[in-house]
Each structure stands twice: as structure tokens, then as C-alpha cells.
Amino acid sequence: GDSVTQMEGPVTLSEEAFLTINCTYTATGYPSLFWYVQYPGEGLQLLLKATKADDKGSNKGFEATYRKETTSFHLEKGSVQVSDSAVYFCALTLSYNTDKLIFGTGTRLQVFP
Amino acid sequence: GAVVSQHPSWVICKSGTSVKIECRSLDFQATTMFWYRQFPKQSLMLMATSNEGSKATYEQGVEKDKFLINHASLTLSTLTVTSAHPEDSSFYICSARANQETQYFGPGTRLLVL
């Protein structure tokens, strides 16, 4: 079935380090892909999205490129900050049901000064 | 930005009792609200979708008589877990959307059934 797989956390980094959080998906058709972020005590927030192959979503220094050939949507940031500490969720919606978000398990990022 | 609140943020109840969780959109009118459940180390799973004034649409495998959803106004949806049992212990998250825009998520409610 349709699903999203994320790397297990926690990911622990020092400030200014390079971040990669892997995400791969299995889906029929042409899904849209998303990254959500959840800061402590808050709801999930949309971080970035891409709706077709080779699209790059970007926001707040984070980037992810929709790679259809490898069914991946890895999240990257060149220099993380302590304030980036949060849980990151990769998700997809299918073209025939854009209401239903299918999430990965989430990856906790901890950034230390 | 759009804010969605949930109440309570956590609840402990005895097996066999019913628990009601509220989801409110604070600064926008939500034509559609969604309820998710997350078990430890697992994904958020969509339970049901509700449109204001109509019956909720439940995902396959979700018991509609156990998880009662009411979306009586454009700013409030409630999820009632009826006759709760320990296996219903989970993290329940709602989201709200105005028309076809982005879903905005609440902070979640942790339910523990003893």
C-alpha cells in the first residue's frame, strides 16, 4: 500500500552542522510530497512541499527535492540552529485523494550549541 | 498564522468511561476537520474527515460507533471515545482547513485509559 518511510531518530547535531533526514515513499500515481515540523508543545506546521517530479521545496533554509526515480524526498539544511530542534514528518497525498495525508513516523532532531 | 487548539492536552480515564476531546480553529472558519491517531513510534494515521454540518467519513478499520465525531460549527469539532479501553490509549491530533487550503494542526491530546 501507499506509505512513507523515514530514518529513525533521534538525529543529534552540533549547531551549524549539515542536516539530512531521509524520506522515501511508496505510492501509486503521482503523489504530492510534504515535510511538516512539530516544535515542542505545538501542532504540526507545513515546512515545505513539492507537487511534481524534480520540484524543489524550500523554506527557512530547508530544502527537499522530489526524486521520482529514487522515490525520495530527503530534507536538507546547510547549517542547523538550536531552534531547529523539533520532530520532522515526511508525508504524501495521492492525486485522487488530496484530503488524506499519509505520514512517516517522524524524526526527532536535537541540535546542541 | 492560523491556530488550532485542542482540549484537554492530556487525559487519564478508567476503562469503560467515555472521553470527549475538543478541537477548535481560533482565528478562521474550518469547513473541514480531520482526526488522526498516533501510537508510539508509529505514523499519524487518519481516522476520519468531517465537514461542518454533515456526518464524518471514517477511514477503513475505524469504528464509527466507538469514535464519535461531531462538527457542529465552523470552529469546533469534537471526538468522543466511547467506552474507552486500554488499547484506545494513544495520541489524538486534529487538523482544520478552510476550503482547499493548508491543513493546520492542533498540538494533540494524549489519552491514557487505565
Side-chain angles (χ1 to χ4, degrees):
Chain A
D2 305 306
S3 65
V4 175
T5 302
Q6 285 182 241
M7 59 190 294
E8 281 197 34
V11 173
T12 304
L13 295 172
S14 297
E15 206 165 24
E16 299 184 2
F18 185 86
L19 168 71
T20 300
I21 299 178
N22 290 338
C23 171
T24 57
Y25 67 89
T26 302
T28 52
Y30 302 93
S32 294
L33 303 175
F34 306 82
W35 276 100
Y36 282 82
V37 59
Q38 184 176 30
Y39 299 103
E42 299 182 16
L44 278 76
Q45 302 172 28
L46 179 62
L47 180 60
L48 54 85
K49 67 179 182 182
T51 57
K52 60 183 189 296
D54 300 325
D55 267 2
K56 178 187 284 188
S58 61
N59 185 24
K60 299 181 181 180
F62 290 89
E63 292 183 341
T65 301
Y66 188 143
R67 301 285 188 202
K68 191 164 179 64
E69 63 276 15
T70 54
T71 62
S72 65
F73 193 54
H74 304 321
L75 183 67
E76 297 182 336
K77 186 175 185 182
S79 176
V80 294
Q81 305 299 313
V82 172
S83 56
D84 293 326
S85 298
V87 181
Y88 292 82
F89 292 88
C90 186
L92 66 83
T93 58
L94 302 171
S95 56
Y96 58 85
N97 186 356
T98 56
D99 271 354
K100 184 175 180 178
L101 279 160
I102 298 170
F103 284 93
T105 53
T107 302
R108 181 175 299 279
L109 170 65
Q110 297 174 324
V111 181
F112 293 96
Chain B
V3 179
V4 175
S5 69
Q6 283 185 240
H7 179 79
S9 55
W10 61 270
V11 57
I12 301 173
C13 70
K14 293 182 179 179
S15 186
T17 61
S18 294
V19 174
K20 180 184 285 188
I21 302 170
E22 291 185 350
C23 176
R24 293 182 185 272
S25 56
L26 298 185
D27 50 4
F28 68 101
Q29 294 188 323
T31 52
T32 307
M33 287 186 166
F34 305 85
W35 286 96
Y36 296 82
R37 180 171 54 185
Q38 185 181 28
F39 292 108
K41 299 195 182 229
Q42 296 186 28
S43 311
L44 278 77
M45 299 295 292
L46 181 65
M47 299 174 66
T49 302
S50 72
N51 293 297
E52 186 265 337
S54 58
K55 289 185 178 180
T57 302
Y58 290 81
E59 293 296 305
Q60 192 173 9
V62 178
E63 299 175 59
K64 63 179 181 181
D65 295 329
K66 178 158 191 67
F67 299 100
L68 301 178
I69 292 172
N70 184 289
H71 189 170
S73 78
L74 286 171
T75 59
L76 173 64
S77 176
T78 60
L79 168 67
T80 301
V81 183
T82 62
S83 187
H85 291 284
E87 59 266 29
D88 299 322
S89 299
S90 189
F91 194 54
Y92 293 88
I93 301 170
C94 74
S95 69
R97 186 183 71 190
N99 300 318
Q100 295 301 316
E101 297 181 2
T102 303
Q103 289 187 39
Y104 296 96
F105 286 79
T109 297
R110 191 164 299 282
L111 170 63
L112 177 61
V113 184
L114 302 176

